[in-house]
Amino acid sequence: MKMCIACGMPMTAIADYPLLDMSKNYCKHCAHKDGTMKTFDEKWHEVTLQYAQNHNVDNAVAKQTAYIILKKLPAWKRRW
Ligand SMILES: [Zn+2]
């Protein structure tokens, strides 16, 4: 089973892949409409909002946590 390199989500079904393309290493949530992978900044923003909502913390904390979460994933390890 593959795991999305950009968010860590397990990709178990073809529907999890961008444009149903199973050769991709990232999931549909991490892809633009045209199938290309989102940037670190885009994912950082998304994960921050999600985390702030799910854990009821303020934006600064969520942003910091989101950064740590993303930096553990293969897509972003070498950047920054
Ligand atoms: Zn993903």
Side-chain angles (χ1 to χ4, degrees):
M1 186 186 68
K2 280 213 272 192
M3 204 180 92
C4 173
I5 59 166
C7 76
M9 184 185 100
M11 304 197 292
T12 53
I14 191 161
D16 293 333
Y17 290 82
L19 310 176
L20 308 180
D21 179 358
M22 288 186 83
S23 68
K24 296 275 192 283
N25 292 321
Y26 46 92
C27 74
K28 63 180 175 186
H29 304 292
C30 299
H32 293 121
K33 284 236 177 341
D34 66 357
T36 57
M37 196 173 87
K38 290 180 182 174
T39 64
F40 181 84
D41 284 343
E42 286 172 297
K43 285 311 291 178
W44 192 10
H45 183 70
E46 277 179 23
V47 175
T48 298
L49 292 180
Q50 227 171 50
Y51 193 88
Q53 225 166 45
N54 293 345
H55 299 270
N56 200 26
V57 293
D58 64 49
N59 207 261
V61 176
K63 203 170 173 184
Q64 215 169 31
T65 310
Y67 185 85
I68 294 166
I69 293 169
L70 287 173
K71 284 298 285 179
K72 289 187 177 144
L73 295 161
W76 320 117
K77 253 183 192 156
R78 271 187 292 276
R79 294 193 55 197
W80 302 68

